[in-house]
Amino acid sequence: ALVGVDNMGTIPIRASRRAVGSGNAWAVTFWGVHGNLGELEADGHFLYGGDPHIVVTELAGGSSDIYPRDYTYEVQTIYVSKEHGFIAPTTGSFALAFEDKETAVIDVSASADDMKEALEELSSIHTVNVERDVVDGRSLWTVTMTHLMNENRQGAGDIGLMRVASSSLSDPSVTSVRVFENVKGTNPLEYTIKNLTPGVTYFCRVTAYNAVGYGPVSATSTATPIGQPTAPLVANTTLSSGSALTVTWSLVGNDGGSAVQGYELEWYGAAGAGSSSSEVAIN
């Protein structure tokens, strides 16, 4: 049922469903597909009933490059959207904008080469790869951002969406041009160090190398990951009065790299005496 994912390998998607109120929620996992993918786009025109609607929310973003230890290109799709039931051919044109630069007019039947030429004429774009498909009578152009003008090397990073600057379409009340993000690009000069210890300061520096060898190192930068504090030790609980107890405890051994702002004390009684809690702030 998901269009455009047939080239992602064998069984790339896992889905589960649960009832939510009078509707349903589906959790979709792109299993075995690397890269930080853009959100799905949902078409709710097939829904019927009292105020039906569908919402897509990203629960967890992908973190791995499509090609390990390499950067991932940004991929966006431009397509002509039609209201459900509208089957007449769409004619007309539109213009796109990227970083405040607008393309020349693009026909809705433009070829992949025509779209590539229009985008590469922008002063904010150097090179792109474009593929064109037709799905249910709608034109789709998949654009891979391979090199932007303000970069010294390839790899566009996670850039903003192109936008539709203008459009002149037949039946504009039921047709439109839209853009969505397929894959979020990564920065080729960026690396995420994982599984570090919170509260510990780490020192980082970078060295470039080529066929001759390694060059001099960069200046050293430091950062401290932040995590949750460790548990305090309850030292003593004493009788304060006939109906009160005093609880004292020690400071935490590790604040997780961020100063402790307070403590939450919970208590409960035996034989159904009830339970409660109270926050204790540190001034």
Side-chain angles (χ1 to χ4, degrees), residues 252-274:
V252 298
N254 187 335
D255 62 9
S258 178
V260 174
Q261 298 175 343
Y263 297 86
E264 182 177 38
L265 174 64
E266 298 177 290
W267 62 90
Y268 58 92

Side-chain angles (χ1 to χ4, degrees), residues 53 125 135 153 157 198 202 211-212 215 227 247 256 258 273 279:
H53 61 279
I125 292 178
V135 178
R153 59 169 292 177
Y202 291 86
V212 178
V247 181
S258 178
E279 292 187 356

Side-chain angles (χ1 to χ4, degrees), residues 8-44:
M8 290 187 176
T10 304
I11 316 178
I13 294 171
R14 293 184 178 180
S16 61
R17 188 187 73 171
R18 62 185 176 88
V20 178
S22 58
N24 293 289
W26 292 266
V28 179
T29 302
F30 290 88
W31 189 261
V33 181
H34 295 289
N36 193 4
L37 306 181
E39 288 188 5
L40 293 172
E41 282 217 337
D43 184 352

